[in-house]
């Protein structure tokens, strides 16, 4: 199995298959931009809240004004300040999370 999971701008609707939230067996961290036009950050936030109510070890970071693919290293994506900020923060948090998980 997995010891941890990272999800960058996932689609969390899952066609209504998780009405009570998710019960992952490993900790999960989700990174999402609030300006994502491809998938709903609100849906992911709702899923995380439902899951946390079930004591799931899952957290979401919502980046204001960042879009889908905010971590794309290309000049076009990174010329937007919101995307650049989100990319830097998400990378640092993801690396720290993985390092911390592997220490356990």
């Amino acid at each position: 199995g997995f010891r941890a999971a990272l999800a960058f701008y996932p689609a969390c609707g899952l066609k209504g298959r998780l009405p009570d939230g998710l019960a992952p067996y490993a900790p999960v961290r989700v990174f999402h931009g609030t300006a994502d036009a491809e998938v709903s950050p609100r849906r992911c936030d709702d899923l995380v809240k439902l899951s946390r109510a079930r004591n799931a070890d899952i957290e979401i970071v919502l980046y204001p004004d960042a879009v889908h693919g905010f971590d794309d290293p290309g000049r076009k994506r990174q010329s937007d300040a919101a995307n650049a900020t989100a990319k830097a923060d998400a990378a640092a948090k993801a690396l720290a999370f993985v390092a911390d998980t592997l220490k356990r």
Side-chain angles (χ1 to χ4, degrees):
F2 294 95
R3 291 179 61 188
L6 298 169
F8 284 77
Y9 34 85
C12 294
L14 303 169
K15 299 183 180 181
R17 292 188 181 137
L18 297 170
D20 299 322
L22 180 66
Y25 64 84
V28 178
R29 299 300 178 263
V30 180
F31 303 94
H32 222 302
T34 63
D36 193 323
E38 294 184 40
V39 294
S40 172
R42 180 192 53 76
R43 228 180 240 153
C44 281
D45 192 39
D46 290 347
L47 179 64
V48 169
K49 286 176 183 170
L50 282 170
S51 302
R52 289 183 61 78
R54 298 177 68 187
N55 296 315
D57 185 356
I58 184 170
E59 296 176 12
I60 187 169
V61 179
L62 295 170
Y63 294 105
D65 302 319
V67 300
H68 193 86
F70 63 77
D71 59 333
D72 178 330
R75 188 178 321 163
K76 181 178 178 187
R77 255 318 170 238
Q78 294 309 302
S79 66
D80 181 281
N83 292 334
T85 298
K87 177 182 179 280
D89 187 73
K93 284 183 170 137
L95 288 172
F97 171 65
V98 170
D100 183 54
T101 301
L102 293 177
K103 284 180 190 175
R104 291 187 231 157

